[in-house]
Amino acid sequence: MHQTKPIVNLFDFFDTIYPMGPEAKKALEQLIREKGYAKNEIVQELGSRCRTIYIVKTGGARIFYYKDGIDITEHFAFENDLIVRAESLFTGNPTSKGIQAIDKTRMVAIDSEKLFHLYDQHHDLERLFRLIFEREYVNTVKRLEILQFKSARERYLELLETTDFVQKIPLKYIASYLGITQVSLSRIRSGLG
Amino acid sequence: MHQTKPIVNLFDFFDTIYPMGPEAKKALEQLIREKGYAKNEIVQELGSRCRTIYIVKTGGARIFYYKDGIDITEHFAFENDLIVRAESLFTGNPTSKGIQAIDKTRMVAIDSEKLFHLYDQHHDLERLFRLIFEREYVNTVKRLEILQFKSARERYLELLETTDFVQKIPLKYIASYLGITQVSLSRIRSGLG
DNA sequence: CTGATTTTTTAACATTTGTAAAAGGTATTG
DNA sequence: CAATACCTTTTACAAATGTTAAAAAATCAG
């Protein structure tokens, strides 16, 4: 899997969203660890609590869970994308979902509990992550729209148009991400579906 | 349509999420107008920008749009529920969606542009609305999960279990909310689908 | 209350999508 | 390189959902 997006320095990336003061940056730096994962390695176990905010540096990861024994991919993340299990991160509840590296992957991991505590001291941090999660929220609303009333073919075509990750991920992940079976996706791709 | 939830004072409701200081409350009060809408009245036009955060006091409202000429309900809101078109509110872009009162409805309207400006002066306001929108984000993720891989029947049953608004809204709105046709919903309700 | 309008259900049929199994590809590993 | 495992496509059939139209039921307006 060759990655096309340029790999941006993390703090340069943050600056494009909200330029923080030096104290906030310093405080955030303390919370950040960089971690490497092998292809298919589990980053966060199914059923765990989400206490880490990940940002992908290289490679890719997915959020997944099982429904009636079937592996379903709910979310993909690649360069500079955030990956969190929001339903756990913002409630403190465990989630039945997990995170897995799709590829050899490097990620930045931010301790969310420590981060949330720092919000009181560093308004800039709260501002930055508020804006980051607002973006995620908007992305989720757009995905909802696609799943609510588009046909399998429409969903696939829209994915092709709006993303560049279809080429680099197993189609079985794509199928469940679109809410369809592999067979159905194959039919669509062959032009007969 | 009889409403069962108790109608809570707006600021009492805010206090349950994040108790603000008196200055922040005072500043927020300046932005708030209360408005009444007739049944089926359009609150925000299709295609407009979302510059208002609504909170339903009595009655109910929905976010809707047209897909291939078909009216699709994306979201419902009742007592103390927020209603915003996130993809516009957080980007500034216009959205093809609109807001409509489902019933005789009273709503609190908060000017979002003014509110967002107040975030700099009143950290408490940014905190409160960050928490409010985090909740909305979580709700959206849960809805995504339901739409992604559950059958029409499962979606309907889950709606019955987790909400109390099915009784009080036209079924045609429920059907599109679940991503199915009215005919399909009728079949499910009759126990044959 | 009554006629008109809107909503919901039912019916018949078409289409889409799912299921299961097999075959063909591709990648991985010893 | 061969053997294995995994991924994708194909096939045949089943089930779910959509489409169109009409009837029945509920709601609304005068």
Side-chain angles (χ1 to χ4, degrees):
Chain A
M1 293 187 195
H2 179 62
Q3 307 299 351
T4 52
K5 280 193 253 178
I7 295 152
V8 178
N9 174 279
L10 186 67
F11 280 86
D12 288 349
F13 168 64
F14 287 153
D15 277 343
T16 65
I17 297 169
Y18 183 72
M20 296 183 285
E23 324 76 32
K25 279 188 185 173
K26 208 167 288 174
L28 180 55
E29 264 167 0
Q30 305 303 315
L31 303 188
I32 287 180
R33 297 162 292 152
E34 197 168 322
K35 287 188 152 196
Y37 296 92
K39 179 170 181 172
N40 296 331
E41 187 176 347
I42 297 297
V43 176
Q44 295 267 289
E45 291 290 345
L46 292 160
S48 60
R49 274 172 228 269
C50 182
R51 296 197 188 92
T52 311
I53 296 163
Y54 293 98
I55 296 169
V56 178
K57 295 203 79 172
T58 62
R62 68 186 187 112
I63 296 176
F64 73 106
Y65 60 94
Y66 288 95
K67 198 225 165 201
D68 306 333
I70 296 166
D71 178 317
I72 296 177
T73 295
E74 182 177 276
H75 185 79
F76 290 114
F78 303 95
E79 280 75 25
N80 298 322
D81 288 341
L82 204 71
I83 188 163
V84 297
R85 291 165 301 166
E87 73 288 351
S88 174
L89 181 71
F90 295 126
T91 65
N93 298 330
T95 169
S96 56
K97 299 168 193 167
I99 298 179
Q100 183 182 33
I102 292 172
D103 207 350
K104 190 165 183 297
T105 297
R106 290 201 70 74
M107 300 211 281
V108 160
I110 300 169
D111 183 311
S112 63
E113 297 189 334
K114 287 182 186 158
L115 175 70
F116 293 166
H117 283 302
L118 281 182
Y119 281 180
D120 285 323
Q121 280 173 259
H122 299 282
H123 192 173
D124 276 3
L125 282 180
E126 182 162 9
R127 172 68 53 90
L128 172 69
F129 281 91
R130 170 178 69 78
L131 292 168
I132 285 175
F133 286 117
E134 281 174 4
R135 283 185 178 201
E136 294 297 310
Y137 178 19
V138 169
N139 289 339
T140 305
V141 169
K142 288 191 176 157
R143 197 153 134 59
L144 193 74
E145 206 178 313
I146 292 166
L147 285 172
Q148 189 175 355
F149 242 102
K150 300 206 172 178
S151 67
R153 151 163 284 120
E154 285 176 306
R155 280 178 256 170
Y156 178 65
L157 293 178
E158 179 137 353
L159 190 73
L160 282 181
E161 275 174 27
T162 59
T163 69
D164 61 347
F165 60 70
V166 179
Q167 340 299 336
K168 46 186 187 188
I169 324 179
L171 288 170
K172 58 175 181 170
Y173 293 160
I174 302 282
S176 72
Y177 181 76
L178 295 174
I180 60 179
T181 60
Q182 289 179 58
V183 174
S184 201
L185 179 57
S186 250
R187 275 194 286 243
I188 291 164
R189 284 163 53 86
S190 77
L192 309 168
Chain B
M1 292 187 195
H2 178 63
Q3 306 299 351
T4 52
K5 279 193 255 179
I7 294 151
V8 178
N9 172 281
L10 186 66
F11 280 86
D12 289 349
F13 168 64
F14 287 155
D15 276 343
T16 66
I17 296 169
Y18 182 72
M20 295 184 286
E23 322 78 30
K25 280 187 185 174
K26 207 167 289 173
L28 180 55
E29 262 165 2
Q30 305 303 314
L31 302 189
I32 289 181
R33 299 162 291 152
E34 197 167 324
K35 289 189 152 194
Y37 297 91
K39 179 168 180 172
N40 296 331
E41 188 177 346
I42 296 297
V43 176
Q44 295 268 289
E45 291 290 345
L46 292 161
S48 61
R49 274 172 229 268
C50 182
R51 296 198 188 91
T52 311
I53 295 163
Y54 293 99
I55 297 170
V56 178
K57 294 203 81 173
T58 62
R62 69 185 186 113
I63 296 177
F64 72 107
Y65 60 95
Y66 289 95
K67 197 227 166 201
D68 304 334
I70 296 167
D71 178 318
I72 297 177
T73 295
E74 182 176 276
H75 187 77
F76 290 114
F78 302 95
E79 281 74 25
N80 298 323
D81 288 340
L82 204 72
I83 187 161
V84 298
R85 291 165 299 163
E87 73 288 352
S88 175
L89 180 70
F90 296 126
T91 66
N93 299 330
T95 168
S96 57
K97 299 168 193 167
I99 298 179
Q100 183 182 30
I102 293 173
D103 206 349
K104 190 165 183 296
T105 297
R106 290 202 70 74
M107 299 210 281
V108 161
I110 301 169
D111 183 311
S112 64
E113 296 189 335
K114 286 181 187 158
L115 176 69
F116 294 165
H117 283 305
L118 281 182
Y119 282 179
D120 284 323
Q121 281 174 258
H122 299 282
H123 191 173
D124 276 3
L125 282 180
E126 182 163 8
R127 172 70 52 91
L128 172 69
F129 282 91
R130 171 177 68 78
L131 291 168
I132 286 175
F133 286 118
E134 280 175 3
R135 283 185 178 201
E136 294 297 310
Y137 178 19
V138 170
N139 290 339
T140 306
V141 169
K142 288 190 176 158
R143 195 153 136 58
L144 192 75
E145 207 178 311
I146 291 166
L147 286 172
Q148 189 175 356
F149 242 103
K150 299 203 173 181
S151 68
R153 150 162 285 120
E154 285 175 306
R155 278 177 258 171
Y156 178 64
L157 294 178
E158 179 137 353
L159 191 73
L160 283 180
E161 277 174 26
T162 58
T163 70
D164 61 346
F165 60 71
V166 179
Q167 340 299 336
K168 45 187 187 187
I169 323 179
L171 287 169
K172 58 177 181 169
Y173 294 160
I174 302 281
S176 72
Y177 181 76
L178 294 174
I180 59 179
T181 61
Q182 290 179 57
V183 174
S184 200
L185 179 57
S186 250
R187 276 195 286 241
I188 289 164
R189 283 162 55 84
S190 77
L192 309 167

